[in-house]
Amino acid sequence: MRRRQGGDGWARPWRASALALLTLLVACGHADQPDSAQLPRNQDGFPLPARPVANIESDSYSTEAARDKLDEARAVMNRAGIKRGMTVADIGAGEGYYTIRLAARVGDKGRVLAEDILPEVRDRLAERVAREHLDNVSVRLGDPANPRLPAGSFDRVLMIHMYHEVQQPYEFLWNVRPALKPDGRLIVVDADRRTNRHGTPPALLQCELRALGFERVKQVDMPSAGGYLATFEARGERPLPEQIRPCDAAGRPL
């Protein structure tokens, strides 16, 4: 998630070895694809990302006043179809810019679950939620590879300017998917630039989510949010970890 401890995803030797193998596969073309089980995987059996993972630089994307001046939150919530009474997860919530505004949007009969993986960030947000008496908001500590969301509970799961910093995207998405209601949607907001420049090219995002059985149903430019908004729905059966094929940096399945 957006505020994990740890550095660039290329720093560790095992990831460098995986990158070397993935680079070789790309150089050889996709005509003779290896068996999925032969691709580099983490200790839980999920594919390693074949592209950089951005460092965590801040728990704040911009100032709240600057973002409100651009009408960011309202525009994103409108595009995401967030309504009163919904249950929404704000993953990588940080200082709570979206959490606070989501609470007002879903109202007393709705619920917002805000997560961050750094205890100090989580604690500051919990203090703010208590201070502002947001009784429809729960704040908790997440896990970098598994947000541990209750199954079948969410109308919307939001990942705002944080996807490019998820170190294990395939495992993370695999664990997010069961949390959606049958008609629930995953909402990703990011910039259209390389992951090591704190963005995610739309083709790469679509490829990586498709590997987990997500289909993109809508994408719109969101200049007020610093990029684009993509909406995904889960389709079909969730693949087993060993069935998941990673994507290269250009958004092509390996």
Side-chain angles (χ1 to χ4, degrees):
M1 288 185 294
R2 192 154 66 94
R3 281 149 292 277
R4 291 183 320 275
Q5 291 176 315
D8 191 324
W10 304 101
R12 297 172 182 166
W14 55 266
R15 191 180 293 276
S17 299
L19 174 59
L21 176 55
L22 290 169
T23 302
L24 178 61
L25 295 173
V26 173
C28 293
H30 300 276
D32 298 319
Q33 288 185 325
D35 183 85
S36 179
Q38 296 176 333
L39 296 170
R41 294 178 179 271
N42 67 16
Q43 62 183 4
D44 297 317
F46 291 92
L48 301 178
R51 43 79 173 176
V53 174
N55 289 318
I56 308 304
E57 292 185 344
S58 171
D59 63 356
S60 177
Y61 163 68
S62 180
T63 67
E64 294 198 8
R67 297 171 84 171
D68 278 343
K69 188 174 182 179
L70 295 172
D71 202 25
E72 177 187 337
R74 189 185 69 84
V76 166
M77 290 189 293
N78 287 348
R79 291 287 191 178
I82 295 173
K83 303 174 182 178
R84 295 187 69 81
M86 281 188 167
T87 300
V88 181
D90 183 11
I91 307 301
E95 297 176 349
Y97 174 74
Y98 273 92
T99 299
I100 304 305
R101 290 152 183 82
L102 285 166
R105 173 65 69 99
V106 302
D108 294 342
K109 295 184 178 180
R111 296 291 302 173
V112 177
L113 175 61
E115 277 198 6
D116 207 282
I117 66 162
L118 293 183
E120 62 273 21
V121 174
R122 183 274 316 268
D123 291 347
R124 287 199 299 271
L125 178 54
E127 291 170 1
R128 180 178 184 182
V129 166
R131 185 170 61 249
E132 299 190 22
H133 304 289
L134 301 178
D135 296 332
N136 62 345
V137 176
S138 299
V139 180
R140 71 182 205 179
L141 194 65
D143 182 274
N146 185 357
R148 306 187 190 282
L149 302 175
S153 298
F154 294 93
D155 299 288
R156 299 290 185 271
V157 173
L158 270 60
M159 300 170 62
I160 310 294
H161 290 290
M162 55 76 74
Y163 182 76
H164 52 271
E165 296 171 352
V166 177
Q167 288 194 6
Q168 300 291 336
Y170 300 101
E171 184 172 6
F172 185 84
L173 292 169
W174 194 84
N175 285 312
V176 165
R177 180 173 161 160
L180 291 168
K181 294 181 179 179
D183 59 349
R185 290 183 166 187
L186 174 64
I187 309 296
V188 180
V189 174
D190 217 334
D192 183 3
R193 53 178 178 256
R194 295 191 305 273
T195 51
N196 60 352
R197 297 184 57 237
H198 290 269
T200 308
L204 173 61
L205 179 70
Q206 184 175 7
C207 184
E208 292 188 345
L209 269 75
R210 183 177 290 157
L212 276 299
F214 286 101
E215 288 296 325
R216 189 176 68 188
V217 296
K218 180 174 63 176
Q219 180 177 310
V220 294
D221 291 335
M222 293 292 297
S224 64
Y228 63 88
L229 180 150
T231 302
F232 295 86
E233 292 180 350
R235 303 276 175 85
E237 296 295 322
R238 183 174 64 161
L240 297 173
E242 59 269 21
Q243 296 173 325
I244 301 168
R245 281 191 174 275
C247 305
D248 65 18
R252 299 171 299 193
L254 291 171

